[in-house]
């Protein structure tokens, strides 16, 4: 469904989604009080933690779904856990415009290395690429040697995934003496930090032009680079605010603040979803000629969650993991980066009298992979090492 106006969208969301009506009531508002995007700050922010809590209290979507569950195409599970619905529209998450801006189109064979399991990322880009006329290789995560062979055998011209995995594939291709046989010339990356030096390396050494974009599992496409690569253009179908994280009110022109999203979608009309990401608007016109504001990329985080290899890791997850092991007194997740790749270390303090063993480390790492969906290294640390900060990000930016 397309809305004739912002007011039509607000009225639809109010009438069809019980949780939206409740949020209006708590703010003392009626639909007519929010007649334009400028009125959105009258509503409170919707934090990811609240979204998850509401979903658990009223399964599966917390009252935010504006269509019967039978009308959905798929349901995904993001870390939290948070359930993400997919409507039946073509290119539901609207990534097509971002990939088209990067030059993907008919004739391209594109290897998608995001997961197709539980989380929506793989399907998000798969469907957008198909709409553009590309041939898609649904490779998923891992299996670097096989992925390099597939890339060579099929003449893959494009890559979609996280930048660190692209670099891992190319290094593996060098080990296999296959770099010269690859036809990869274009990459589109998201979900983790793209270091400028990595982008330059991929271009100068391997001849791959790299574009990046920004989005979330709940909302889909938010912003993306054009060939000029001076900030990210705002996508259609979503209203983007930059606000003070404490007050929820807009910051001054050009100032940094928290990215807040309103998804103008008939299936899942989220209003003022606070991402926890920091950014700023670029108001100067882009040399490419596209109109409107741009985002200055992701400048940091305001929330407790830290993104590791494209997945968010939250302190409550680390705390819950520690509680599963009676041998562990305290646990901390430490995120570092080596050779452009995120690394996760679990620092474990043991209960007095418990001896550190390889068997315990293996059990903890295996369980962490199940519940956090991240590989990790376990180290045992002296008493008093783990403080109140359960997720520590030591990556340089």
């Amino acid at each position: 469904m397309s809305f004739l106006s912002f007011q039509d969208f607000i009225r639809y969301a109010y009438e069809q989604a019980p949780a939206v009506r409740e949020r209006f009531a708590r703010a003392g508002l009626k639909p007519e009080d929010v007649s334009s995007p400028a009125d959105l700050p009258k509503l409170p922010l919707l934090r990811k933690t609240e979204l998850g809590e509401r979903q658990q209290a009223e399964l599966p979507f917390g009252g935010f779904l504006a269509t019967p569950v039978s009308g959905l195409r798929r349901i995904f599970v993001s870390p939290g856990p948070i359930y993400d619905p997919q409507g039946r529209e073509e290119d539901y998450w609207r990534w097509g415009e971002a990939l088209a801006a990067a030059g993907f189109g008919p004739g391209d064979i594109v290897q998608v290395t995001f997961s197709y399991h539980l989380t929506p990322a793989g399907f998000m880009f798969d469907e957008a690429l198909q709409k553009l006329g590309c041939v898609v290789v649904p490779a998923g995560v891992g299996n670097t040697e096989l992925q390099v062979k597939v890339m060579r055998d099929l003449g893959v011209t494009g890559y979609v995934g996280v930048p660190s995995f692209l670099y891992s594939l190319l290094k593996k291709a060098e080990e296999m003496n296959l770099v010269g046989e690859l036809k990869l010339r274009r990459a589109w990356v998201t979900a983790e930090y793209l270091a400028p030096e990595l982008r330059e390396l991929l271009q100068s050494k391997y001849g791959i032009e790299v574009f990046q974009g920004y989005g979330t599992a709940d909302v889909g496409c938010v912003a993306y680079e054009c060939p000029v690569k001076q900030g990210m253009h705002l996508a259609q179908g979503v209203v983007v605010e930059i606000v003070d994280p404490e007050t929820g009110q807009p910051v001054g022109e050009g100032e940094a603040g928290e990215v807040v999203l309103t998804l103008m979608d008939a299936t899942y009309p989220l209003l003022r979803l606070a991402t926890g990401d920091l950014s700023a608007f670029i108001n100067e016109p882009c040399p490419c000629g596209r109109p409107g504001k741009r985002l200055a990329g992701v400048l940091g985080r305001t929330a407790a969650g830290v993104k590791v290899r494209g997945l968010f890791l939250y302190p409550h997850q680390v705390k819950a993991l520690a509680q599963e092991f009676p041998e562990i007194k305290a646990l901390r997740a430490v995120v570092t980066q080596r050779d452009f790749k995120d690394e996760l270390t679990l620092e474990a303090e043991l209960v007095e009298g418990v001896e550190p063993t390889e068997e315990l480390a293996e059990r903890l790492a295996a369980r962490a992979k199940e519940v956090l969906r991240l590989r990790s290294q376990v180290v045992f640390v002296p008493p008093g090492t783990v403080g109140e900060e359960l997720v520590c990000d030591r990556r340089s930016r």
Side-chain angles (χ1 to χ4, degrees), residues 193 214 256-259 275-280 296-303 305 312 393 397:
Y193 176 66
Y214 169 63
E258 184 172 8
V259 179
T275 64
D277 294 322
L278 290 171
S279 190
V298 177
L299 307 178
R301 289 281 297 167
T302 66
F312 276 113
D393 189 352
R397 287 287 189 264

Side-chain angles (χ1 to χ4, degrees), residues 182-195:
L182 299 182
K183 296 182 179 179
L184 188 63
R185 292 296 176 264
R186 182 180 293 108
W188 198 93
V189 301
T190 189
E192 72 177 21
Y193 176 66
L194 173 61

Side-chain angles (χ1 to χ4, degrees), residues 191-193 276-278 298-315 318 332-338 341-345 347 388-397:
E192 72 177 21
Y193 176 66
D277 294 322
L278 290 171
V298 177
L299 307 178
R301 289 281 297 167
T302 66
V306 170
K307 190 172 281 188
V308 186
R309 301 180 211 136
L311 294 174
F312 276 113
L313 176 62
Y314 293 97
V318 177
R332 175 169 61 188
V334 178
V335 187
T336 55
Q337 193 172 74
R338 183 174 61 178
K341 185 176 182 180
D342 291 342
E343 296 187 345
L344 176 63
T345 301
E347 297 181 343
E388 295 183 359
E389 188 179 20
L390 301 186
V391 178
C392 181
D393 189 352
R394 294 179 181 165
R395 295 169 293 189
S396 59
R397 287 287 189 264

Side-chain angles (χ1 to χ4, degrees), residues 136-190:
V136 177
V137 181
V141 298
N143 302 307
T144 54
E145 187 169 328
L146 175 60
Q147 292 222 29
V148 169
K149 186 176 185 302
V150 167
M151 195 173 279
R152 188 277 308 271
D153 291 351
L154 300 183
V156 168
T157 60
Y159 167 94
V160 170
V162 297
S164 61
F165 188 59
L166 173 59
Y167 185 55
S168 295
L169 289 176
L170 293 168
K171 289 201 300 180
K172 177 59 69 174
E174 288 181 333
E175 294 175 15
M176 299 167 67
N177 295 315
L178 294 179
V179 170
E181 299 182 42
L182 299 182
K183 296 182 179 179
L184 188 63
R185 292 296 176 264
R186 182 180 293 108
W188 198 93
V189 301
T190 189

Side-chain angles (χ1 to χ4, degrees), residues 11-64:
R11 186 169 297 281
Y12 172 89
Y14 182 88
E15 293 174 351
Q16 301 299 322
V20 172
R21 285 198 301 277
E22 181 182 323
R23 294 179 66 78
F24 269 76
R26 277 195 287 152
L29 298 172
K30 294 293 185 182
E32 53 268 25
D33 297 322
V34 184
S35 60
S36 74
D39 293 324
L40 282 171
K42 297 177 181 179
L43 289 166
L45 297 179
L46 173 62
R47 298 247 168 233
K48 283 286 190 87
T49 51
E50 180 185 348
L51 181 60
E53 289 166 358
R54 289 194 63 106
Q55 286 192 353
Q56 291 304 308
E58 188 181 340
L59 291 169
F61 299 111
F64 288 99

Side-chain angles (χ1 to χ4, degrees), residues 51-293:
L51 181 60
E53 289 166 358
R54 289 194 63 106
Q55 286 192 353
Q56 291 304 308
E58 188 181 340
L59 291 169
F61 299 111
F64 288 99
L65 195 68
T67 187
V69 173
S70 60
L72 300 178
R73 188 172 178 187
R74 296 185 182 94
I75 298 174
F76 296 95
V77 186
S78 294
I82 291 178
Y83 295 108
D84 301 311
Q86 178 190 358
R88 293 193 173 273
E89 297 87 346
E90 187 180 25
D91 188 18
Y92 174 74
W93 286 284
R94 312 170 331 282
W95 285 108
E97 63 175 302
L99 294 164
F104 288 94
D108 276 318
I109 301 174
V110 185
Q111 200 151 320
V112 176
T113 64
F114 282 116
S115 175
Y116 283 74
H117 175 64
L118 289 180
T119 56
F123 284 100
M124 282 184 172
F125 298 102
D126 189 303
E127 295 183 359
L129 288 163
Q130 288 188 52
K131 184 178 180 181
L132 293 177
C134 302
V135 175
V136 177
V137 181
V141 298
N143 302 307
T144 54
E145 187 169 328
L146 175 60
Q147 292 222 29
V148 169
K149 186 176 185 302
V150 167
M151 195 173 279
R152 188 277 308 271
D153 291 351
L154 300 183
V156 168
T157 60
Y159 167 94
V160 170
V162 297
S164 61
F165 188 59
L166 173 59
Y167 185 55
S168 295
L169 289 176
L170 293 168
K171 289 201 300 180
K172 177 59 69 174
E174 288 181 333
E175 294 175 15
M176 299 167 67
N177 295 315
L178 294 179
V179 170
E181 299 182 42
L182 299 182
K183 296 182 179 179
L184 188 63
R185 292 296 176 264
R186 182 180 293 108
W188 198 93
V189 301
T190 189
E192 72 177 21
Y193 176 66
L194 173 61
E197 56 268 32
L198 176 56
R199 194 204 298 251
E200 172 59 29
L201 177 65
L202 292 170
Q203 175 72 57
S204 60
K205 183 176 181 180
Y206 301 103
I208 300 171
E209 187 173 13
V210 182
F211 296 80
Q212 64 179 326
Y214 169 63
T216 75
D218 330 79
V219 171
C221 183
V222 174
Y224 57 89
E225 286 183 331
C226 67
V228 176
K229 300 176 185 175
Q230 295 180 8
M232 299 187 193
H233 294 273
L234 302 183
Q236 299 178 19
V238 60
V239 178
V240 182
E241 302 173 75
I242 303 293
V243 309
D244 182 317
E246 298 297 325
T247 66
Q249 297 302 303
V251 298
E253 184 172 338
E255 293 182 12
E258 184 172 8
V259 179
V260 171
L261 309 173
T262 293
L263 178 62
M264 294 179 60
D265 176 55
T267 298
Y268 199 44
L270 296 175
L271 274 66
R272 304 207 80 206
L273 179 68
T275 64
D277 294 322
L278 290 171
S279 190
F281 282 133
I282 301 173
N283 294 307
E284 295 78 14
C286 181
C288 79
R290 287 177 174 83
K293 298 177 180 179

